[in-house]
Amino acid sequence: MKRILVLGAGQSSPYLVRHLLEAGPELWVEVADRDIDLARARVGGGERGEAVELDATDTEALAAAIGRADVVVNFLAPIFQAPVARICLDAGRSMVSASYRSPELWALDEAAREKGLVLASELGLDPGLDHLSAQRLLAEVQAAGGKVESFYSYGSGVVDRATVPNPLGYAITWNPGNVVRAGAAGARFREDGVTRLVPYPEVFRRTWPVEVPGEGRFEAYANRDSLPYAPLYALEGARTLVRATLRHCGYCETWSAVVQLGLTAETRIPGLAELRWGELMECMLPPGSGHLDLRVAAHLRVHPSSRAVDNLRWLGLFGDERIGDLPTVAEGLETPAEAMIALLRHRLELPPGGRDLVILHHVVSAKLPDGVRRRYTSTLVERGGTSGTAMARTVGLPAALATLSILDGTFPVPGAPIPTDPRIVDRLLPAVEKAGMRFVENAQALAEAGSAR
């Protein structure tokens, strides 16, 4: 019997675990998490799985669990990607991760190849499915002899507003720590031949509108560093290369206010859990007097009845509630960022009957040999339902398929690859579509005045 170890039982793992448990009688799935009850919930009543209590910082216990497995699926926080990979390499085990490939993981590529192991990463939604669909779209352009002039790639995990009425249009369907820390490293991309650098305080202010077919208008902000994808996507000659995140309109205005106020800071505040939310906001403002919301508006240079101030009020940031009284407060809460993580877990929980919404949308502008410019698009829209969230499905499916491919010996690339390699695309994308995920592709002539976005 083949054994799969799933490290991490968080919100992105349910579909992955269920898919692996149902993959065949010859598989055994071990789900390990420091929260044993959460691990048990993921395994459910599966006859070919078990839950294990495991703290990933316990290197000895982690190595023992990895040694029992044939393949490891690492759904832990990104900081554990390279340490887990090194243990897998020493133990002769392959690993699949949904996190961005770190330089430390990439450094293990040659050693993994020599051992015939796979330490694959970026096998989730974004990154993951975005790579698979973008590569196919770019191959279509290449087959037509087109020269790519601009490439925009948009990823999004929001909510179906028809089922979730909160004013941010957002719900926590994955690690809220990543939500709070989004944009902290700033962003870099290329636009019209010019490299653009966006510092953290500006990330959520420099947005632009994007029309998604069938879904309407969203707002986009630049996502991390787009430029390393130029060689990976063979886009060195493109004048524009942008990877971005979509949100419902109004979200970025609010989150920009959160950032400007310093509420995502990692600065330790002694006794933070004893403070009231209004007192924390007071900590973030210059000295003054008057109503707190008016002073916040003045500090942000927005109108007191602006959407951002209204949303800060809706979140409870002007309130008298004690921060430590939130039901989602983790032990040892010390920083504003940790307080915001707890607040988002509480206020942005996906309600019963609420559905989340996942969107991947690529827009490519290319010039063909006959001089005609064409706009190529590829769009995936997934909604959650009774069987779980769209986020868990779109993150879990690519990882599950890669894991099963490694087990049956058909994963085509050893080392530490990401799914930009055509061989991986050809292996995984048909299986993704067979599972019911549909990428709608379109191409049309682009007038000179038309938008490349």
Side-chain angles (χ1 to χ4, degrees):
M1 178 175 283
K2 298 288 187 179
R3 298 179 65 95
I4 301 170
L5 171 64
V6 177
L7 295 173
Q11 289 180 294
S12 296
S13 68
Y15 181 88
L16 164 81
V17 173
R18 186 166 64 249
H19 190 96
L20 295 175
L21 287 171
E22 296 172 354
E26 72 284 359
L27 299 180
W28 182 265
V29 182
E30 186 175 294
V31 180
D33 196 281
R34 62 183 178 182
D35 184 339
I36 185 62
D37 292 332
L38 191 59
R40 287 174 179 147
R42 298 297 180 243
V43 174
E47 297 178 355
R48 293 184 297 276
E50 65 177 321
V52 176
E53 185 174 1
L54 176 66
D55 186 336
T57 62
D58 184 341
T59 305
E60 185 176 338
L62 180 61
I66 289 172
R68 295 192 296 269
D70 292 287
V71 178
V72 175
V73 185
N74 183 1
F75 266 28
L76 298 172
I79 60 171
F80 291 103
Q81 185 189 68
V84 169
R86 284 191 285 268
I87 295 174
C88 286
L89 186 63
D90 291 342
R93 303 295 188 264
S94 289
M95 181 195 80
V96 171
S97 167
S99 298
Y100 283 96
R101 181 174 63 189
S102 66
E104 294 80 9
L105 177 59
W106 181 229
L108 303 178
D109 178 70
E110 184 176 351
R113 287 177 182 271
E114 289 176 354
K115 288 191 171 185
L117 298 175
V118 177
L119 302 176
S121 58
E122 306 197 15
L123 280 160
L125 165 61
D126 178 4
L129 288 178
D130 58 338
H131 293 327
L132 299 176
S133 52
Q135 290 298 324
R136 182 168 67 185
L137 192 65
L138 291 169
E140 180 183 346
V141 176
Q142 183 180 31
K147 179 182 178 181
V148 175
E149 297 177 333
S150 69
F151 174 85
Y152 291 88
S153 179
Y154 300 102
S156 180
V158 289
V159 297
D160 181 345
R161 273 192 147 154
T163 66
V164 182
N166 79 55
L168 292 180
Y170 198 83
I172 298 300
T173 57
W174 64 309
N175 185 348
N178 292 343
V179 177
V180 169
R181 298 181 180 98
R188 185 174 69 145
F189 56 91
R190 187 166 64 239
E191 188 173 40
D192 295 329
V194 177
T195 296
R196 309 286 185 185
L197 301 176
V198 186
Y200 179 34
E202 294 293 314
V203 168
F204 296 96
R205 298 174 70 175
R206 298 189 193 179
T207 64
W208 63 94
V210 176
E211 292 287 338
V212 176
E215 297 299 324
R217 174 166 289 199
F218 294 79
E219 58 188 8
Y221 66 88
N223 180 17
R224 302 191 182 211
D225 189 355
S226 299
L227 299 192
Y229 291 89
L232 293 172
Y233 281 24
L235 292 174
E236 293 91 338
R239 288 180 55 78
T240 296
L241 172 57
V242 181
R243 286 170 54 84
T245 300
L246 296 180
R247 291 288 182 258
H248 282 300
C249 294
Y251 176 95
C252 289
E253 178 185 354
T254 302
W255 200 255
S256 176
V258 169
V259 172
Q260 302 297 325
L261 288 165
L263 292 169
T264 62
E266 302 285 0
T267 307
R268 184 176 177 272
I269 300 178
L272 175 61
E274 299 302 318
L275 293 179
R276 302 185 185 279
W277 286 103
E279 292 173 332
L280 175 60
M281 291 287 275
E282 185 68 49
C283 292
M284 301 302 178
L285 292 175
S289 60
H291 291 291
L292 182 60
D293 54 351
L294 297 181
R295 292 173 54 219
V296 166
H299 179 69
L300 296 172
R301 298 182 180 180
V302 300
H303 196 278
S305 60
S306 69
R307 177 160 49 182
V309 174
D310 284 345
N311 287 346
L312 294 178
R313 184 179 296 107
W314 179 84
L315 283 169
L317 289 167
F318 300 130
D320 291 330
E321 293 80 8
R322 199 176 68 95
I323 293 173
D325 287 342
L326 280 175
T328 50
V329 165
E331 184 179 350
L333 183 150
E334 295 182 320
T335 69
E338 291 170 348
M340 287 302 298
I341 289 170
L343 181 63
L344 295 190
R345 282 188 187 275
H346 175 61
R347 293 295 284 153
L348 298 182
E349 182 180 16
L350 191 66
R355 298 187 302 181
D356 66 325
L357 174 67
V358 161
I359 297 172
L360 288 180
H361 183 55
H362 306 300
V363 183
V364 177
S365 175
K367 189 173 183 179
L368 302 183
D370 59 5
V372 173
R373 293 174 67 237
R374 296 187 71 81
R375 184 176 186 265
Y376 297 80
T377 62
S378 172
T379 308
L380 170 72
V381 177
E382 287 281 315
R383 282 178 166 79
T386 55
S387 61
T389 66
M391 180 62 70
R393 175 172 164 79
T394 51
V395 172
L397 179 61
L401 294 174
T403 300
L404 296 173
S405 181
I406 292 170
L407 279 176
D408 66 21
T410 60
F411 195 85
V413 182
I418 61 175
T420 56
D421 188 300
R423 293 168 294 178
I424 301 177
V425 176
D426 291 343
R427 177 66 191 169
L428 296 185
L429 189 54
V432 166
E433 294 184 314
K434 185 177 180 181
M437 291 189 189
R438 181 169 173 254
F439 297 89
V440 178
E441 297 176 354
N442 190 26
Q444 61 185 33
L446 183 63
E448 287 300 322
S451 172
R453 289 178 173 174

